[in-house]
DNA sequence: GTTAGCACTCTCTTTGATTGAGTGCTAACT
DNA sequence: AGTTAGCACTCAATCAAAGAGAGTGCTAAC
């Protein structure tokens, strides 16, 4: 028995009906709505075959059929060939919405997941690039008030992190630039994540640097290093969590609660995304997911890159009967938009 | 007929039973669990009186009674006298949790609502102070890369806002300090919200300032002003929205959805909080709320202050049968903690 | 190979009976 | 006069039985 043309037509009809209505599909429905020119009886025979082949299941003997994960996999692989070739027309529009006025990386991600969940009606999330992997370009101390100094950590990607330092005793403004220079010189080229390991050495080295040799600085150093070490490890943004309340499969509050509590746990989501393949676009259907909690969910993720290097993933999670067509192209568009935006705004400029 | 001592005891017993179980309370339950030394029959008579007085209602003839908004109002007013006098013991602990490592105002608020919803098991939110009301103390431009300059706007409260400016043509680093000085001089003392109105004047004045007279600057100015004008108007943080899924009154997914979509609309929440009284602590029970959507909810809000001036509110929203005792004291504690933290970290230092 | 017909299955909805928590009233008691 | 036991009554919630409806599988005819 093989998937002949008619079987394929019927299978696709069932899948697309089930995606729309979340209700088991009967032979009559297919025959009427998807006019294949054959009677329900014929369709019943074919459906029986499709069930034997593992593409359909019946929730109970006298009900219609619903697609299995295998069916979705077939459907998606088929879709895949078409999506790949169609170019997204509205990329510029997307860029405009996502691109943030304040040029903040986090804002770009927040916008992205917001748009993504609005467009797909599912839950979406993004893992922000691991800040700790970034390399320090320069440190700049800026006086704010007598006892407050703002430390700006300028990264190679031109992302600027700010840390407010509270002083025990004031440091004259005029010294701050010199201190900044010394700090920059010593910390240049190090990754943020390495600071914690080498901080003792750094402090020692700085101690012997003539310009920086002020009591105020020495007092400040351990505190300053500590603040850097405290930067967040992974950062996950999500949006549209409550979208799932609109779906009939989550009409049961208990189910909804379970899903939400899983998704709200950022570390589990981060793990989820780190365990996916390195593919540009990854589709994980139902039981293909390693997490048992997600056996009824599909996960569509795409990568975004900076200077050609993979730095994060953005994705959508929804029921296995999700609107793959829409989700796949939306995720792809938005991940492309993110890549473009960050490459334009945050790439390492070689001319320097 | 008046509220004698026994009626009060019975009323309180009913309220507290209903708060615990969300189920209509019968005379037998009261008689057994709250040993008042009288029989169910007597309690029935009293309950009937309390119903006549408007403190109780029966969902249907043969059910127990549930408290009305009037009952909660009585209960809360009574509680009020006691809460007022008890000092919160764990304020220091709270401060420690809320106080943010990075000294970011937004982080403080996010922590506050997180803690608040964790402690109360309800939904909580805070309106962040209106940034636009803040007065500019100083502007500092910091070079980031050849075509990027970070503009730091240092406010009187020592909050520092950063805006990344993308240049069309590079500005020599050495000029940036001078430009910063000119900008600071002209913009000092103005409120952020006024910048938009007076920007034309500012630009003109800066044009005639000798030090700042560089083409690069002139090109930058309109762009820079525009960025400032774009700062957000109100900022609402919320947390624990999905806590309501745990409550029996929201076992109905439709109800839950309605509640959530109301709360997720930041502007409606902002409006809600701005319409409450100026009281330090405000309690709005059920139909006392102006929003029809919240007729089954109670809203407990408290103010926080900077330099004695009210700058925002934080609050909890939950069902009318909420645990007022816990919520009131928690909201109060946390608002106090916020006040302390921001007064310590963000108050205008007079010595400067 | 396709289809009409029909018996069969199983869920969903409706209906009716039963249960149980709780009330209100009355009459007796303190 | 206030309190209480007793009892009839009410109504939501639960459960079982019946009926409807959607859909299947099989058979026999086209």
């Amino acid at each position: 028995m093989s998937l002949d043309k008619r079987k394929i037509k019927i299978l696709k009809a069932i899948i697309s009906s089930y995606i729309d209505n979340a209700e088991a599909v009967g032979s009559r429905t297919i025959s009427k709505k998807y006019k294949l020119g054959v009677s329900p009886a014929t369709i019943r025979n074919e459906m029986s075959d499709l069930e034997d082949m593992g593409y359909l299941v019946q929730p109970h003997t006298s009900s219609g059929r619903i697609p299995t994960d295998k069916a979705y996999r077939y459907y998606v692989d088929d879709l895949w060939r078409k999506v790949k070739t169609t170019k997204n027309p509205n990329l510029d529009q997307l860029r405009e919405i996502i691109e943030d006025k304040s040029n903040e990386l986090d804002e770009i991600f927040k916008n992205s997941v917001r748009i993504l969940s609005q467009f797909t009606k599912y839950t979406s999330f993004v893992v922000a690039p691991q800040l700790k992997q970034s390399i320090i370009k320069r440190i700049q101390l800026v006086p704010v008030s007598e006892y407050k100094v703002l430390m700006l950590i300028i990264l190679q990607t031109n992302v600027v992190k700010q840390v407010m330092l509270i002083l025990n005793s004031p440091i004259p403004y005029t010294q701050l630039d010199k201190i900044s220079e010394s700090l920059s010189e010593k910390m240049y080229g190090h990754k943020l994540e390495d600071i914690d390991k080498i901080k003792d050495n750094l402090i020692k080295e700085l101690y012997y640097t003539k310009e920086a040799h002020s009591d105020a600085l020495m007092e400040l150093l351990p505190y300053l290093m500590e603040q850097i070490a405290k930067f967040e490890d992974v950062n996950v943004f999500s949006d549209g969590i409550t979208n799932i309340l609109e779906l009939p499969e989550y009409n049961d509050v208990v189910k909804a609660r379970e899903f939400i509590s899983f998704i709200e746990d950022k570390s589990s989501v981060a793990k989820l995304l780190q365990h996916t393949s390195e593919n540009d676009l990854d589709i994980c259907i139902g039981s293909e997911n390693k997490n048992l909690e997600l056996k009824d969910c599909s996960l569509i993720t795409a990568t975004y890159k900076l200077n050609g290097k993979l730095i994060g993933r953005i994705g959508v999670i929804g029921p296995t009967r999700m609107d793959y067509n829409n989700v796949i192209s939306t995720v792809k568009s938005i991940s492309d938009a993110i890549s473009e935006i960050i490459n334009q705004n945050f790439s390492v400029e070689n001319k320097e």
Side-chain angles (χ1 to χ4, degrees), chain A residues 73-292:
Chain A
R73 171 49 65 194
Y74 173 82
Y75 180 77
V76 165
D77 286 346
D78 182 68
L79 215 61
W80 184 231
R81 264 167 267 140
K82 294 165 198 163
V83 172
K84 236 179 185 168
T85 51
T86 56
K87 196 62 195 154
N88 303 298
N90 51 358
L91 197 60
D92 287 339
Q93 231 176 313
L94 271 182
R95 280 199 47 171
E96 212 165 298
I97 306 174
I98 295 174
E99 195 153 24
D100 180 57
K101 51 194 180 194
S102 72
N103 249 292
E104 281 255 35
L105 205 48
D106 284 359
E107 288 299 320
I108 290 169
F109 290 122
K110 278 184 205 163
N111 286 343
S112 301
V113 284
R114 209 191 60 240
I115 297 295
L116 189 50
S117 58
Q118 272 173 11
F119 278 16
T120 60
K121 309 281 187 211
Y122 301 120
T123 303
S124 58
F125 39 76
V126 61
V127 261
Q130 293 191 291
L131 201 63
K132 291 198 160 187
Q133 300 277 335
S134 305
I135 293 169
I136 297 173
K137 186 162 82 176
R138 203 157 63 74
I139 305 280
Q140 171 93 50
L141 299 177
V142 177
V144 169
S145 73
E146 199 174 356
Y147 287 93
K148 282 187 178 175
V149 169
L150 188 74
M151 170 169 64
L152 297 175
I153 304 166
I154 302 168
L155 304 172
Q156 203 108 58
T157 51
N158 295 330
V159 169
V160 180
K161 279 282 146 184
Q162 61 178 54
V163 178
M164 186 72 81
L165 304 173
I166 316 266
L167 309 179
N168 289 327
S169 53
I171 300 180
Y173 287 6
T174 47
Q175 276 189 37
L176 284 178
D177 277 344
K178 280 187 185 169
I179 298 178
S180 299
E181 237 170 79
S182 305
L183 283 171
S184 296
E185 194 183 309
K186 291 296 172 198
M187 293 171 85
Y188 174 84
H190 289 295
K191 283 186 185 174
L192 277 179
E193 63 179 350
D194 295 334
I195 294 297
D196 198 45
K197 283 178 252 163
I198 57 172
K199 70 177 174 199
D200 292 338
N201 274 338
L202 282 180
I203 293 175
K204 218 177 285 173
E205 280 182 40
L206 278 163
Y207 186 80
Y208 292 114
T209 306
K210 204 171 125 220
E211 299 89 359
H213 195 277
S214 95
D215 289 351
L217 175 64
M218 289 320 293
E219 187 189 313
L220 198 61
L221 275 175
Y223 169 45
L224 181 153
M225 299 290 179
E226 192 186 320
Q227 293 297 320
I228 293 177
K230 268 187 189 164
F231 279 141
E232 277 177 56
D233 205 17
V234 258
N235 212 349
V236 177
F237 298 101
S238 67
D239 200 339
I241 291 186
T242 54
N243 277 355
I244 65 141
L245 294 177
E246 307 282 343
L247 301 174
E249 31 269 271
Y250 292 99
N251 261 352
D252 180 14
V253 179
V254 179
K255 265 199 171 178
R257 210 148 57 199
E258 273 172 19
F259 177 87
I260 291 178
S261 59
F262 179 81
I263 292 295
E264 277 191 337
D265 178 10
K266 291 195 174 181
S267 64
S268 67
V269 174
K271 227 176 268 171
L272 195 65
L273 290 197
Q274 279 155 9
H275 282 174
T276 57
S277 70
E278 298 256 310
N279 291 345
D280 231 32
L281 189 82
D282 190 64
I283 299 171
C284 213
I285 297 169
S287 48
E288 295 171 7
N289 283 301
K290 269 153 205 154
N291 290 64
L292 209 66

Side-chain angles (χ1 to χ4, degrees), chain A residues 305-349:
Chain A
K305 296 177 178 176
L306 179 61
N307 296 325
K309 202 183 141 212
L310 192 162
I311 56 168
R313 297 191 83 94
I314 182 164
V316 168
I317 192 162
T320 46
R321 59 155 201 107
M322 70 166 52
D323 181 356
Y324 289 98
N325 205 337
N326 178 27
V327 173
I328 290 174
S329 66
T330 309
V331 169
K332 195 79 189 68
S333 301
I334 292 188
S335 68
D336 284 350
I338 295 178
S339 286
E340 278 195 26
I341 293 171
I342 60 180
N343 275 299
Q344 182 182 315
N345 293 333
F346 298 99
S347 68
V348 180
E349 293 168 22

Side-chain angles (χ1 to χ4, degrees), chain A residues 6 9-10 27 30-43:
Chain A
R6 193 169 65 187
K9 264 191 178 170
I10 292 173
S27 54
I30 297 297
S31 162
K32 263 204 283 186
K33 296 212 175 149
Y34 296 83
K35 36 192 169 187
L36 301 174
V38 287
S39 76
T42 310
I43 294 177

